[in-house]
Amino acid sequence: MPETTQTPATTTGARSLAERAAAPATLPEPDRAATGLTWRALTRADVPVLAALVARVEDADAQPFRTSEVEVGEGFDGDWKDPARDTRVGLDADGVPRAWITVDAPPGDVRVVRVWLGGGVDPAWRGRGIGRALLAWATARARQKLAESGKDAPGRIAAFLEDHRADALALHAAAGFAPIRYFTDMRRDLSRPLPEPRPLDGVRIVPWSPDLDEAVRLAHNEAFADHWGSEPRTAAHWQQGRAMFAPQWSHVAVDEATGEVAGYTLSGRYEHDWAVAGFTSGYTELLGVRRAWRGRGLAPALLTAAMTSFRADGMQYAELDVDTENPSGAHGLYASLGYEVTHGAVMYTIEV
């Protein structure tokens, strides 16, 4: 999902985030008698069987993507994470995982303190109240994490849900979540002619390289400071979740006079999605231009560079996602470059 104007900060004299979170002293652990499952925390040793469960869920729910075992493993990366306290998995009588939930609070949040929930229930085990039990536990744990953060800012408990998942949408609505933002996935047929590159006065586009990466992170934090839902990324958070990163498809716009990073596009290669999608593709993960360099055509130039790289490697489509209410006009930019909407997702939240 994309980095996503912010909720206003709490006013002077308002209750603290810890007070607003109303964190419970104890968590409503899923009940074995009611669910038929034995519950414990996830560990890294669970990655292979958890990945198999994730695959069953995504297949049954006709998700337009698949999560690889490597990506499942990356969910345990990050020194700010505490799987023992922030995850649960339900095992059947044979020790097979049938449901799971994770709770994650990115470490760099300052304007809005976010806690993300993610999980699922094996299709064969649905209709038994397991999803409700997991969501109740995760929401309570999220409130604890907000209270534990020590940050005095608005809080948000959030989950991304594909918009065709009526069951998941209803489950979250019943638990007090409400839709707050809508996103669309878009793709562009690379067999069609690409835009002609326009001259960029004083800026050149170069391949991404490791020596530029920290400057790109800082440029990203600045570029997305005025985007809804986006928060600064720490160096550790920036490096987390890069198994599918495609450096050969990533580009950086550099100011020729100062050497500063003016913009960037970072791409991913999700080969495990191609069989489901029915085509090969390159995915634009992040695209950003710093404010001082906006209005010069850097965004379309960077996207064109990415599309050119995708096509050079034989990819059939370019893909990305976008916040439909993005005030920068990103949706219009992508449409003008030939991107078309394929499907959507909704962010459901409890605002604290």
Side-chain angles (χ1 to χ4, degrees), residues 80-346:
W80 67 92
K81 296 187 178 181
D82 187 357
R85 299 182 67 199
D86 296 339
T87 69
R88 287 294 181 269
V89 61
L91 310 174
D92 68 14
D94 296 319
V96 177
R98 297 297 183 178
W100 86 100
I101 197 79
T102 63
V103 181
D104 182 30
D109 291 4
V110 293
R111 296 178 291 264
V112 177
V113 184
R114 305 164 302 169
V115 183
W116 296 99
L117 312 184
V121 179
D122 190 308
W125 282 73
R126 294 178 181 175
R128 309 183 190 195
I130 295 172
R132 289 193 300 275
L134 281 179
L135 190 55
W137 178 89
T139 303
R141 177 61 188 134
R143 290 186 180 278
Q144 288 184 338
K145 290 186 75 67
L146 290 174
E148 293 165 0
S149 72
K151 299 175 181 179
D152 193 6
R156 175 175 296 146
I157 304 170
F160 270 116
L161 307 170
E162 296 294 316
D163 59 9
H164 72 279
R165 290 286 318 283
D167 55 343
L169 300 176
L171 175 68
H172 285 74
F177 287 72
I180 192 173
R181 208 77 171 186
Y182 296 84
F183 301 83
T184 56
D185 274 34
M186 305 179 76
R187 72 172 179 237
R188 207 261 194 200
D189 186 345
L190 294 176
S191 69
R192 297 167 51 199
L194 297 181
E196 288 293 329
R198 286 171 27 187
L200 299 174
D201 185 27
V203 177
R204 58 193 174 91
I205 294 179
V206 302
W208 175 92
S209 60
D211 60 300
L212 288 170
D213 195 51
E214 176 61 9
V216 171
R217 178 183 73 86
L218 297 175
H220 171 77
N221 286 347
E222 179 185 320
F224 277 81
D226 56 357
H227 283 233
W228 187 92
S230 179
E231 291 292 325
R233 293 203 194 183
T234 63
H237 190 204
W238 182 251
Q239 294 298 325
Q240 194 263 345
R242 282 200 168 185
M244 303 301 133
F245 176 53
Q248 72 277 19
W249 293 344
S250 301
H251 305 270
V252 183
V254 178
D255 187 288
E256 293 180 320
T258 66
E260 292 183 77
V261 170
Y264 54 89
T265 179
L266 304 183
S267 301
R269 183 184 178 101
Y270 294 86
E271 295 187 32
H272 48 282
D273 288 347
W274 297 349
V276 176
F279 54 82
T280 60
S281 65
Y283 201 97
T284 297
E285 305 272 16
L286 293 174
L287 169 70
V289 177
R290 294 171 65 190
R291 182 173 294 277
W293 285 270
R294 292 176 186 172
R296 304 190 194 182
L298 263 65
L302 285 161
L303 272 176
T304 300
M307 289 189 286
T308 301
S309 297
F310 300 157
R311 190 162 71 175
D313 270 359
M315 298 299 102
Q316 297 169 287
Y317 284 87
E319 295 188 290
L320 49 75
D321 57 44
V322 61
D323 177 351
T324 59
E325 297 180 42
N326 188 319
S328 70
H331 193 282
L333 167 65
Y334 303 148
S336 72
L337 294 174
Y339 286 82
E340 300 175 335
V341 172
T342 57
H343 57 273
V346 188

